[in-house]
Amino acid sequence: MSSGITITQFIIEEQRRIPGASGEFTLLLNDLVSATKVIANAVNKGALAGVLGAAGSSNVQGEDQKKLDVISNDVMIESTNWSGHLAAMASEEMDEILPIPAEYPKGKYLLLFDPLDGSSNIDVNISVGTIFSILKAPEGKSAATTEDFLQPGTQQVCAGYALYGPSTMLVITSGHGVNGFTLDRNVGEYYLTHPNMQVPDDTQEFAINASNARFWEAPVKRYVDECLAGKEGPRAKDFNMRWVASMVAEVHRILTRGGIFMYPRDTKDPSKAGKLRLMYEANPMSFIVEQAGGVCSTGRERIMTLPPSGLHQRVPVILGSKNEVDKVVQYHKDMD
Ligand code: AHM
Ligand code: MG
């Protein structure tokens, strides 16, 4: 039987600590909580609900959309566009920002999301997730523009992810640490199960898609080679390796037991700075990981201070346990 602090109770208690808080943010978070429950349900039913497979369309990045990408995107929109807390939203699955429909009141927040991250995993029944980032809309404007969204990650009010794994979990930060909640499906409620999550400073586990090794830059090659050399190499210890191909699952593992995750800059497609998107993947995950004591870098700059140049901008991502990320950053300095 579930008992303890529900997510609703937790965010209302957080709100009470902020003098003058209107409750608008709490209500927006509640909408997002509801959206993740609906998506979790669709992911969980899988083939029984006919939601697996390709949607037959592609998104702005030229990637084929899965049925569940489209369903999750619709759920995120329909759960948040009517309640009056948002000025506009943006998604991995939509080319342009989505204004709030004229019939609904506008609010003071901007929402960015990747509705279903790791979607290559859907059809093989491996963990996927939803990532979101909340920014404040500039005051005194009648309609939000794309430029309003292009704020550095340090400006985020809140970031979170839902992980649809063996359990569904929601992990959030609003700048006062990181807390994890587990969904009790029978009750339909998230309970606080992972208070004050922390990324250990040290790790012996790394995550990188090694099939790209021939395209990596020298500092990343050096770091991975040294990990692979194990006890006999310069690091004088053995490393373990994981690659889930779902950033949400990788970050969750790192928040749980430490590790380093890398999707670095490579030369595979010189027109792309990396694979992952700054605004709705790298920034929210960086906010969470930094709030848990980890470090997030492109190898050369702190991710959250990058001035964004576009809604779907890609960035190199190196994040996780402090001492390992610092080492990779140092290798970039040494070898640039
Ligand atoms: P997606 O948002 O289109 O699902 O892609 C992002 C995902 C990340 O979750 C994951 O880390 C990476 O892409 C996996 O890439 P690869 O296919 O190179 O393993
Ligand atoms: Mg994604």
Side-chain angles (χ1 to χ4, degrees):
M1 221 183 100
S2 296
S3 63
I5 301 171
T6 67
I7 192 161
T8 315
Q9 201 179 338
F10 182 88
I11 54 187
I12 288 176
E13 280 172 12
E14 278 227 315
Q15 180 200 318
R16 286 191 187 130
R17 279 193 226 124
I18 304 166
S22 65
E24 194 172 337
F25 173 67
T26 301
L27 292 169
L28 171 58
L29 261 185
N30 268 326
D31 291 345
L32 288 166
V33 167
S34 303
T36 64
K37 290 181 195 171
V38 177
I39 298 170
N41 194 40
V43 169
N44 187 246
K45 286 204 173 114
L48 294 175
V51 296
L52 302 187
S57 48
S58 58
N59 64 15
V60 63
Q61 354 261 338
E63 297 159 344
D64 291 337
Q65 290 175 307
K66 301 277 185 185
K67 280 185 200 161
L68 264 173
D69 282 323
V70 177
I71 293 167
S72 306
N73 196 56
D74 290 347
V75 170
M76 290 293 282
I77 295 169
E78 284 157 20
S79 305
T80 55
N81 70 355
W82 54 273
S83 52
H85 313 307
L86 291 180
M89 61 183 102
S91 159
E92 174 177 332
E93 303 303 334
M94 300 187 289
D95 303 10
E96 308 291 344
I97 66 164
L98 187 73
I100 299 304
E103 67 262 39
Y104 300 130
K106 317 280 174 291
K108 60 182 178 198
Y109 293 105
L110 300 171
L111 174 69
L112 292 121
F113 54 88
D114 178 354
L116 206 66
D117 184 58
S119 47
S120 69
N121 282 336
I122 294 168
D123 295 345
V124 287
N125 200 9
I126 296 176
S127 299
V128 288
T130 298
I131 309 171
F132 64 86
S133 164
I134 301 173
L135 295 164
K136 276 221 174 92
E139 282 174 27
K141 287 184 77 174
S142 54
T145 62
T146 302
E147 284 62 42
D148 296 340
F149 282 81
L150 303 182
Q151 306 178 33
T154 49
Q155 295 299 106
Q156 291 172 103
V157 176
C158 175
Y161 65 77
L163 170 63
Y164 313 113
S167 316
T168 290
M169 285 196 65
L170 191 62
V171 172
I172 54 172
T173 186
S174 47
H176 312 282
V178 179
N179 289 284
F181 303 81
T182 304
L183 181 64
D184 184 327
R185 281 182 189 279
N186 296 326
V187 183
E189 182 64 277
Y190 282 102
Y191 290 90
L192 179 64
T193 48
H194 295 61
N196 192 23
M197 298 176 89
Q198 293 289 326
V199 177
D201 286 349
D202 290 296
T203 182
Q204 289 180 227
E205 196 161 65
F206 67 98
I208 191 163
N209 183 345
S211 72
N212 294 323
R214 67 192 186 283
F215 304 113
W216 295 337
E217 293 184 318
V220 171
K221 268 191 193 134
R222 173 180 171 192
Y223 176 78
V224 173
D225 283 349
E226 290 182 1
C227 291
L228 295 175
K231 268 198 186 107
E232 292 74 32
R235 300 297 307 274
K237 59 180 185 178
D238 288 334
F239 280 77
N240 194 10
M241 200 207 76
R242 288 285 183 276
W243 187 249
V244 190
S246 164
M247 191 194 196
V248 174
E250 319 272 8
V251 167
H252 192 69
R253 185 183 62 251
I254 289 171
L255 281 170
T256 309
R257 67 177 188 212
I260 178 169
F261 165 88
M262 292 172 281
Y263 218 117
R265 178 186 295 274
D266 63 35
T267 57
K268 195 173 186 178
D269 177 350
S271 71
K272 293 179 184 157
K275 174 167 186 191
L276 299 173
R277 278 56 53 118
L278 175 63
M279 299 301 294
Y280 42 79
E281 292 178 323
N283 269 340
M285 289 313 207
S286 296
F287 193 17
I288 294 168
V289 169
E290 286 195 8
Q291 280 292 315
V295 177
C296 307
S297 172
T298 63
R300 295 176 173 93
E301 309 102 334
R302 181 181 168 208
I303 288 172
M304 287 219 288
T305 55
L306 293 175
S309 58
L311 212 49
H312 301 287
Q313 175 183 354
R314 294 175 191 260
V315 282
V317 173
I318 297 165
L319 61 77
S321 291
K322 181 179 185 315
N323 292 336
E324 293 302 307
V325 179
D326 284 351
K327 188 174 278 293
V328 181
V329 170
Q330 187 57 49
Y331 287 180
H332 280 80
K333 280 190 190 132
D334 293 349
M335 301 174 86
D336 272 354

